Each structure stands twice: as C-alpha cells, then as structure tokens.
Amino acid sequence: LTERTVRELEGIVGAGNVSLKDEELICYSRDSSLYEYKPDVVVRPSSSEQVAAILKIAERDVIPVTPRGAGTSSTGSPLPVKGGVVLDMTAMDKILRIDVENMMVEVEPGVVCDSLNEVLSEYGYFFPPDPASSPACTVGGMVANNAAGNRAMKYGTTREHVLWLEIVLPGGKIVHTGSRTLKSVSGFDLTRLLVGSEGSLGVVTKICLKLTPIPESFATAVFTFDDVETIAKAVSRIRAAKIVPDMLEFMSAKTAGAALEYAKIKEIPSGNFLLVDCDGSKESATRDMDSCLSILREFHPSYIQRTEDTSLRERLISARKAALPALSRLRPTTCMEDCTFPLSRLAQAATAIEDIPARLVSSSLDLANFGHLGDGNMHPTFMFDDRVESERREFQQGLDMLYRQIVLPLGGTITGEHGIGIVRAQYIEEEHGEEAVRLMRRIKELFDPKQILNPYKGKGGPWPIK
Ligand SMILES: Cc1cc2nc3c(=O)[nH]c(=O)nc-3n(C[C@H](O)[C@H](O)[C@H](O)COP(=O)(O)OP(=O)(O)OC[C@H]3O[C@@H](n4cnc5c(N)ncnc54)[C@H](O)[C@@H]3O)c2cc1C
C-alpha cells in the first residue's frame, strides 16, 4: 500500500474515512472467531460509486479488499488474511424505499437487522431470518453469509428473501442482479449465487428484500428433558407430523444454565431446553401448539410451561439468543461451530457431539450445544483457554472429530448458516469433492481473476492459507 494509493483513497471517501491508526486497525483485525489478521488500512465508503472507485484502484494495484459489516462472523470471513483494505460498509445504512404495493424494501448493506425490523413493523411487515446476532449484524453481512436463525425453519434463510442485488465487481463495474418483480427466471440466478458468497465475488451495495406480513398471533411453550437425544427425537417427530412451528430452538443443559442465568430468568429450571413457538392466526397457532404439546408429552419432559405472556416469550427468545455470550463467561475462549444434519440423524448427532470431550485424551475442552433444531442446525461450542498450547491442540482435535467423524459420516453439512470463512476451508473438499470445489474456484476466478476480494477463504479460495 503506497502513499499515493492512500491519498487516492482519501480523495474518494474523504480523509476522515480512511484510517491507518494502529488502534483502529487492531479493532478490525478480529471478528467473533479465534483468528486475527490486521488490515493495512480501513476505508469507509458511503456510496456505490465510492465502492466502485476503491475497487478500481485495488485491482490496478493488486491490493486485497475485504468487505466488512458488523464483524460478528464466527468464521474469520471478514478478516483480511492478506492485509490490504478493509471496506467498512456500516456507513451505508439507509433504508432507501419501502414499497408496500410491490411488497419490497430496498436497503443499503449497513442497515442493522433489528433496526430494519423495527421500521418494517410500523407497516405490519418483517424480514424473517432472525440470527441471534440481530441487534448488531448488518443486512449486507447476512446476505454475504446467507444468515438464518430462529425462524428460518418456517420462513427460510436470507436467500429466500432477496429479490435483487446491486453489487460492485472487482475492477469497479456496478452490476444489478435479478429483476424488480416477485418472481423471474429471465437469467442465470446471480442473486442466489451472490447470497452466501462471503464477500468473495462482489461487494453488495444495495439489497431488495421481500416483505413478509407479521403473523397475527403466537403460541409459546418451553420444555426441559433429561437428555439431548430425547429432544432430538421429539423434534424429528414434530417435523414428521407435518407441523411447522416458527421456532424449535434447543439448548443443552450447560447452555441453558448459562443463558437463563445471563437473561436473569429464574422461573424456568435449567435442563436440556426446547423452546417451541407456533405462529399464524390465533386458531392455527393454538392448534399447532396443542399438537406439539401432545407429541412432546409422549417423550416425558421433566418440565413444561405454556405461556401466552408476550414479555416472557420475548425474554425466552432473548435468553436463547444470548447462548453464545452467556457461554463466553465460562472459559477464556469460546468457539461456536455450525453444522446441519438430516432430521433422521439428529438424535445420533446430538449424542455424538455431547461425547466429544470424553473422547479426547486429556479433556481440557468443555463443550456445550444449542441451535435451530427444527432445521437440523446445531452450534456445538468449544470452551477452553486459547493461551494454553495443549488446549489449543485439543481444540483442533475436537474440531476434526466434529466435522470428520460426526458431521460428514452422518450425511450432514459443515455449515448451515455461518459460512466457510477460514475455519471450515479445511473441510470443504471433503464435503463436496474435488470436482465441485474446482467449479467453485472457477466461479471465483470468473468474478475475480486477480484474487482481490476477500482472498484465500470462503468457497473459492486457494487453500490452505499461507
Ligand atoms: C452471538 C452471535 C450469534 C450469532 N447467531 C447467528 C445465527 O443465529 N444465525 C446466523 O446465520 N449467524 C449467526 N451469527 C453469525 C453472524 O452474526 C452472521 O453471519 C451475520 O449475518 C454476519 O453479519 P455482519 O454484519 O456481522 O457481517 P461480518 O461479520 O462483518 O461479515 C460477514 C461476511 O460478510 C461479508 N460482507 C459484509 N458486508 C458485505 C457487503 N456489503 N458486501 C459483500 N460482502 C460483505 C464479509 O466479507 C464476510 O465475509 C452469530 C454471531 C454471533 C457473534
């Protein structure tokens, strides 16, 4: 990065939006993963044209550019492994147009998920993917990761809600994907290719999302069970009964203990925890909850509470969303993993995951589990002390055991919603095979021949990182 390039970047976004200060670069060197890579410079654009001008210079000088939203990723995906520019997209945070007649909303990528939903609620609509990081994460980061969350089982992941995108390609060309209608098959589906591409194919500068009406009513219940296997079997049975609650959220006893304490919920006993939420019309939410209750009773829960109290519902959802921060208080290092299993394998998977610490030699690792069990998605979370070499080694063994001995043999996928980033690049070929990964790399080369955008990770990087 030359003095001249820095001056040019300042000319594009203004000197106040270019930072070379070490204390700022350090802040941008982390996300919620274990990795740390410091950028050479942080640049904060406020328009698509500014992003285009930055990418033009970056391609000319072959400088890596890593887009970044709120930095909540748990995979290292917004970290600049090759240094260069971190493009902080959070200043592009406008809701551009709410078009109720056409059931669409257009936003800039830096809009925070919860802020968007607060505004949409005034119109009776919402953007359903509900990641636990929703108070902080940006819609741009959600699009890049194809984030999902509590309600994805019923309403789909981010991808199912994106109608079109404006993206800036490496080199600076501005491209519009998709059509301005609710359905279209008029081209290859570039929008769906871009969603989940982890900032490695283009920088997203505008997003158009479908509007979804807020359901009229909710019915909520919380259960605890003696073991995780029973919860997994019960969830599979609910799905097989053709009931579609909007939430089937699970926390293992260790996670539930920490999360309920964190959220100061004293009235629910700790145990292997299942939160069930059904939505729709008053009649359908009540009917679905009645059916869930009768199925779950067959699995002999140790505790049941059905509630119509919306404030308790909100607190229970907050507690579930706080699972990771709550666990972070238990040990110096917390590493949240992400895997999804076929519903028929949930019970086997949940039990095998619980057994990981016992199968390791010295078992310095602690493990807790939670997740969106309704769509088979679990977040086994390793807790240890990263400063201790032997614990770090054991963490790597635990990780390999999870993905190589449990997830892949059970027909699962190495990520349901958090993405590949750095952490799972080592396993992608084992899941998809050499030829499929070669195709992914060719797609990356087509969009980004000089490997400028978020290089060396995600789905199209040359691995391993050197
Ligand atoms: C406590 C906690 C709970 C979480 N819970 C969930 C959950 O329930 N579900 C879930 O899916 N995820 C979850 N996550 C992971 C993460 O929050 C989400 O993936 C989120 O969508 C990331 O958004 P962000 O704005 O923080 O993006 P960042 O972390 O900043 O970036 C993520 C990726 O997006 C790229 N990117 C960002 N902006 C752009 C842009 N404008 N154009 C192109 N690429 C871009 C980055 O390069 C990077 O590859 C959780 C994380 C934490 C810490």
Side-chain angles (χ1 to χ4, degrees), residues 31-32 66-74 77-78 89 109 130-133 136-142 144-150 198-199 202-205 320-321 324-325 336 372 379 417-418 454:
D31 60 356
S32 71
T66 304
R68 181 179 173 107
T72 63
S73 168
S74 59
S77 63
M89 301 299 292
D130 187 23
S133 52
C137 73
T138 64
V139 178
M142 290 177 69
N145 277 0
N146 190 24
N150 293 351
E198 300 185 32
V203 178
V204 176
T205 44
R320 163 56 194 89
K321 284 189 163 188
L324 183 66
M336 171 173 63
H372 319 295
H379 298 309
E417 54 182 24
H418 294 173
N454 209 355

Side-chain angles (χ1 to χ4, degrees), residues 193 274 308 398 412:
L193 176 63
L274 183 68
E308 308 288 318

Side-chain angles (χ1 to χ4, degrees), residues 31-32 66-79 127 129 131 133 137-149 157-160 162 165 191-200 202 204 207 336 338 377 415-424 454 457-459:
D31 60 356
S32 71
T66 304
R68 181 179 173 107
T72 63
S73 168
S74 59
T75 69
S77 63
L79 305 184
F127 169 46
S133 52
C137 73
T138 64
V139 178
M142 290 177 69
V143 167
N145 277 0
N146 190 24
T157 64
T158 298
R159 184 173 276 140
E160 279 75 54
V162 180
L165 294 172
T191 310
R192 287 176 84 91
L193 176 63
L194 263 295
V195 179
S197 63
E198 300 185 32
S200 66
V204 176
I207 300 154
M336 171 173 63
D338 177 39
N377 192 188
T415 173
E417 54 182 24
H418 294 173
I420 295 293
I422 302 170
V423 66
R424 283 177 281 274
N454 209 355
K457 49 186 143 90
K459 283 113 189 176

